[in-house]
Amino acid sequence: MKNSQKMRFENKVVFITGAGGGIGRETALAFAREGASVVATDISEKANQETAKLIEDEGGKVLAVTVDVTDSKSIQEALNQTIAKYGKLDFAFNNAGVENKVEPLHEVDEEEFKRVVNIDLTGVFLCMKYQLPLLLKNGSGSIVNTASIAGVTGFTGGASYGAAKHGVIGLTKTAALDYAAKGIRVNAICPSVVETEMIKRYNKDGSMDALKANLPIGRFGRVEEIAAAVLWLCSDESEFIVGQSLILDGGQLAGF
C-alpha cells in the first residue's frame, strides 16, 4: 500500500457496504492503497473476509464487519465498531445491492419487489441515516451511493431495480441539499454494464455480445474504473460536486 504515489486518504476512514465482491471490493482495495482505513461490510461473511485478506496482504488497514443493510441494528453496530477502532468516519460508499429478475411489471412477485427495494433503496436510506450523525460530528465528509443508469432511464423488465435506483438518486439529491452547508457532500454513481458477477446473473439467459452492442465504447465497464470515480467523489478534487448522479456508461445514454 505504501507504493502509492498519491496517498489522498491518509488518516481517513471509509465505510463500504457490499465490499465482498465486484465494485465494492475493488473500491475497498483502491481506498486502502491510497492510505485509508477501510471498514469493509457485506452480508456474506466469507466474501467480506476475502476482501479484508486482500487488503491486509497488500499492507492496508481494514476492519471487516458482517452487515445486513436492511437491518438498522446491524448497520449501527458496524458503525459503533468503526468508531471504537478508528475514532471517526470520513467517507461512506453505500454500494450493497441486488438485481431483479427480468420480467414485465404485472408478473413481478410482490415479495420480490419488496426485497429488491428493501436492499437497494431502504438499505441506502438506513446507512445514510446512521452515517450522517458521525459525519456531522466530524464536521465534514462525503457519501457516495450506488445508483445505476436504471435510475435515470427505464429498461424493459426492470421494474423493481429501476424503482429502487430512481429512489437512490432522489435520496441522494435530498441529502445533498440537507447537508451541503454543513460540510458534507452526497453524490451518486450510475454505472452501466460493468464486468461483475451481478451482470452475469442478471443476463444468464442472454448474450453478453448483445449487451456490449449497446455500449458505444465497445466494451463493458471495469470495476477499477468505477472505483476511481468513487474515490474522486470523496477527494478534495471534487469538492464543488454536490448532489450529482455521475453516469459511468461508456456512452450508452448519449444516444437515447
Side-chain angles (χ1 to χ4, degrees):
M1 296 291 178
K2 298 302 182 183
N3 292 329
S4 176
Q5 293 181 344
K6 290 181 64 179
M7 302 291 279
R8 289 182 289 178
F9 303 111
E10 195 85 50
N11 301 317
K12 301 294 186 180
V13 179
V14 59
F15 184 98
I16 299 174
T17 68
I23 292 169
R25 173 174 287 178
E26 186 62 32
T27 304
L29 282 161
F31 266 112
R33 287 170 184 146
E34 294 213 34
S37 297
V38 176
V39 182
T41 78
D42 199 281
I43 196 168
S44 169
E45 181 178 5
K46 181 177 182 293
N48 202 40
Q49 290 294 339
E50 289 171 355
T51 296
K53 186 176 187 307
L54 289 171
I55 292 172
E56 289 170 344
D57 286 349
E58 292 189 16
K61 295 165 286 193
V62 61
L63 169 66
V65 188
T66 304
V67 169
D68 177 354
V69 296
T70 69
D71 180 354
S72 60
K73 290 183 179 179
S74 178
I75 296 165
Q76 290 176 77
E77 175 56 29
L79 289 167
N80 287 341
Q81 290 187 45
T82 300
I83 298 304
K85 185 172 180 66
Y86 297 121
K88 64 171 183 170
L89 179 67
D90 295 290
F91 312 120
F93 178 38
N94 297 317
N95 168 71
V98 294
E99 72 278 14
N100 66 210
K101 180 182 178 183
V102 180
E103 56 190 353
L105 189 148
H106 77 280
E107 294 181 8
V108 176
D109 179 78
E110 291 181 29
E111 291 306 312
E112 175 63 6
F113 180 87
K114 292 175 183 176
R115 184 187 76 89
V116 173
V117 171
N118 205 23
I119 296 169
D120 290 4
L121 175 57
T122 306
V124 172
F125 161 74
L126 290 173
C127 284
M128 285 202 293
K129 176 177 173 62
Y130 296 107
Q131 292 158 355
L132 281 161
L134 301 180
L135 296 180
L136 287 169
K137 185 176 181 180
N138 204 35
S140 65
S142 178
I143 293 176
V144 179
N145 298 319
T146 297
S148 166
I149 60 167
V152 296
T153 191
F155 287 95
T156 303
S160 306
Y161 190 76
K165 294 303 186 179
H166 273 76
V168 169
I169 290 175
L171 274 178
T172 297
K173 290 179 178 180
T174 300
L177 295 174
D178 284 345
Y179 299 98
K182 297 177 174 65
I184 299 167
R185 296 186 299 110
V186 185
N187 292 287
I189 56 167
C190 298
S192 177
V193 186
V194 180
E195 293 176 346
T196 63
E197 289 302 314
M198 179 184 285
I199 197 61
K200 293 177 184 177
R201 294 193 304 268
Y202 182 79
N203 201 52
K204 62 182 178 181
D205 298 323
S207 167
M208 287 297 185
D209 288 338
L211 276 180
K212 194 177 294 184
N214 291 324
L215 302 172
I217 201 170
R219 63 170 176 82
F220 297 149
R222 304 185 182 107
V223 289
E224 57 267 28
E225 294 171 322
I226 311 305
V230 176
L231 267 65
W232 179 71
L233 286 171
C234 288
S235 74
D236 293 341
E237 299 157 17
S238 66
E239 61 183 8
F240 201 56
I241 309 298
V242 177
Q244 297 303 304
S245 302
L246 183 60
I247 294 173
L248 307 162
D249 72 343
Q252 185 173 358
L253 295 186
F256 275 29

